Amino acid sequence: MKRESEGDAGNSASSDMVDWNLAVRIGSALAGEGPQVGRGEAADVVAELRAGADRSTGLVRDFTGLVAPAATAPVLVVDRAGWVQANADAFQHVVTPLTDSLTSDRKAPSGLTKAIGSRITGAEVGGLLGFLAGKVLGQFDPFHEPSGRLLLVAPNIVHLERELGVDPHDFRLWVCLHEETHRVQFTAVPWMREHLFSEVTALSSTVSPSGIDDLTNRVVEALKGGLARGNLIDLLSTPEQKEILDRVTGMMSLLEGHADVVMDDVGPSVIPSVAGIRAKFTKRRGGVGTLDRILHRLLGLDQKMAQYRDGARFVRGVLDEVGMEQFNVVWDGPENLPSKAELSDPGAWMRRVL
């Protein structure tokens, strides 16, 4: 399944610390190609996913009331290597403020030290991307200029629909509903992209060269201790960082939970087998092996699953009390986003905001 995007990782100052081209090569090699699909079937899958995303725009608008401007944030159907390239581009964009800060604070290393260090880090990033590239069904990349882009990973969608034994046409539209909701969220709510990037920039400003060294030591200790002290996100949490991470968690949980509510509530009207798909999909989330569980915990992916659950519970709690029109006040500005604590107490959010 031919990817529809090519990136230019490796062209910014952050290349001094990460060899992005190496990360892409390693990540793409580790990800593999996915299931065997004939040329004709691959073309059909790509066409169906693009049509499903296009159809989902109106379904999301009618259910949520969010109107995304036309011709913004393109939809790209990619293979695993395309997803790796796109995320290397996004990571590079996100970490540039951090790397610029660190390189300005630290004494410049020699050319050899810089080259070796960037390749080691590039290999580590490539390993992470390679692992994730086989897991992700779709993703909205909010950092791609000018308005973001939606990525649908065709081989992973085909792999999972076969593994679950579900109707492929229903499953593809179900995935498109979730991912298109994210595209609508970021394009219909124009402040969302800049707010997320400002939070990431604020987080990067809290990391000093000595903090990087301390984090590295704590990661090694955590791995030796069987990850008893949590994941990499937990290890990053100084008081200032924790405050920023809590805000980001509230925001991302809202977005993920909102998308889950859309895909499940819109689904029955257009996807006949949606109940069966959801049941099988949820069961599979809890059935990963030991290595997957370790990596999920280390990378914070178990928290990602909690975001779906907590965010959906918050959205349904507010909708049940005040309906969609009142709920949509959440999109009026960053100050209306739920805090991490309010996710488990929708009433507290309603008392504060409505």
Side-chain angles (χ1 to χ4, degrees):
M1 295 181 184
K2 184 176 176 59
R3 60 182 128 162
E4 298 181 351
S5 67
E6 294 291 342
D8 56 357
N11 295 327
S12 81
S14 65
S15 301
D16 290 342
M17 297 188 70
V18 182
D19 186 332
W20 294 102
N21 291 323
L22 178 63
V24 169
R25 291 197 300 272
I26 290 176
S28 299
L30 291 176
E33 295 184 356
Q36 293 296 313
V37 178
R39 185 181 299 272
E41 183 183 356
D44 290 343
V45 171
V46 170
E48 184 170 2
L49 289 173
R50 294 187 63 83
D54 184 62
R55 182 184 179 189
S56 295
T57 304
L59 295 171
V60 174
R61 180 192 62 235
D62 293 345
F63 181 75
T64 67
L66 296 177
V67 180
T72 58
V75 177
L76 301 177
V77 181
V78 299
D79 58 13
R80 291 176 177 176
W83 183 89
V84 168
Q85 178 71 71
N87 276 267
D89 295 343
F91 281 4
Q92 184 176 358
H93 181 71
V94 168
V95 304
T96 293
L98 171 60
T99 56
D100 287 349
S101 173
L102 292 179
T103 53
S104 65
D105 289 344
R106 258 181 171 160
K107 181 180 178 181
S110 68
L112 178 61
T113 301
K114 183 188 298 184
I116 294 173
S118 69
R119 289 181 67 81
I120 291 173
T121 309
E124 293 169 343
V125 172
L128 169 63
L129 291 174
F131 171 75
L132 293 176
K135 308 290 184 181
V136 177
L137 301 180
Q139 171 192 355
F140 184 78
D141 170 13
F143 300 114
H144 188 265
E145 298 296 341
S147 303
R149 58 184 173 180
L150 176 61
L151 309 172
L152 297 170
V153 190
N156 294 350
I157 294 172
V158 171
H159 171 78
L160 190 54
E161 70 192 25
R162 290 177 178 178
E163 181 179 300
L164 295 179
V166 295
D167 182 279
H169 306 296
D170 284 0
F171 185 73
R172 293 166 195 173
L173 181 56
W174 190 68
V175 171
C176 286
L177 268 173
H178 182 98
E179 302 305 336
E180 178 63 16
T181 300
H182 289 317
R183 195 182 78 89
V184 170
Q185 289 164 344
F186 278 95
T187 54
V189 184
W191 54 264
M192 188 75 71
R193 292 177 69 243
E194 185 58 37
H195 177 66
L196 178 58
F197 188 65
S198 69
E199 293 284 39
V200 172
T201 301
L203 183 62
S204 69
S205 70
T206 69
V207 182
S208 65
S210 61
I212 289 288
D213 294 336
D214 179 58
L215 176 62
T216 300
N217 292 333
R218 291 161 69 194
V219 169
V220 172
E221 291 174 4
L223 288 170
K224 288 180 178 178
L227 307 178
R229 278 174 280 183
N231 55 50
L232 297 185
I233 294 176
D234 296 327
L235 295 175
L236 192 64
S237 297
T238 67
E240 184 179 4
Q241 291 163 349
K242 188 176 187 303
E243 182 178 345
I244 298 171
L245 287 170
D246 282 352
R247 292 199 301 267
V248 173
T249 296
M251 175 182 176
M252 299 310 296
S253 296
L254 168 69
L255 298 179
E256 295 292 1
H258 183 247
D260 255 17
V261 169
V262 170
M263 72 192 301
D264 286 344
D265 286 17
V266 174
S269 65
V270 293
I271 303 173
S273 61
V274 65
I277 290 173
R278 167 55 77 186
K280 291 182 177 181
F281 189 79
T282 300
K283 182 179 180 180
R284 182 184 179 277
R285 278 179 176 173
V288 296
T290 301
L291 177 59
D292 263 3
R293 284 197 296 272
I294 292 173
L295 290 171
H296 273 65
R297 184 171 182 184
L298 177 61
L299 300 175
L301 298 181
D302 52 346
Q303 292 189 4
K304 178 76 168 178
M305 296 301 102
Q307 285 179 2
Y308 289 104
R309 182 188 64 245
D310 297 343
R313 186 183 300 121
F314 170 82
V315 173
R316 292 193 186 281
V318 177
L319 289 179
D320 289 345
E321 288 293 325
V322 298
M324 186 65 72
E325 184 176 355
Q326 287 281 76
F327 168 80
N328 280 346
V329 173
V330 77
W331 311 117
D332 285 355
E335 66 279 1
N336 286 1
L337 293 173
S339 66
K340 186 177 180 180
E342 287 172 338
L343 289 174
S344 57
D345 187 1
W349 178 84
M350 287 184 279
R351 290 189 296 272
R352 178 175 66 85
V353 174
L354 300 182

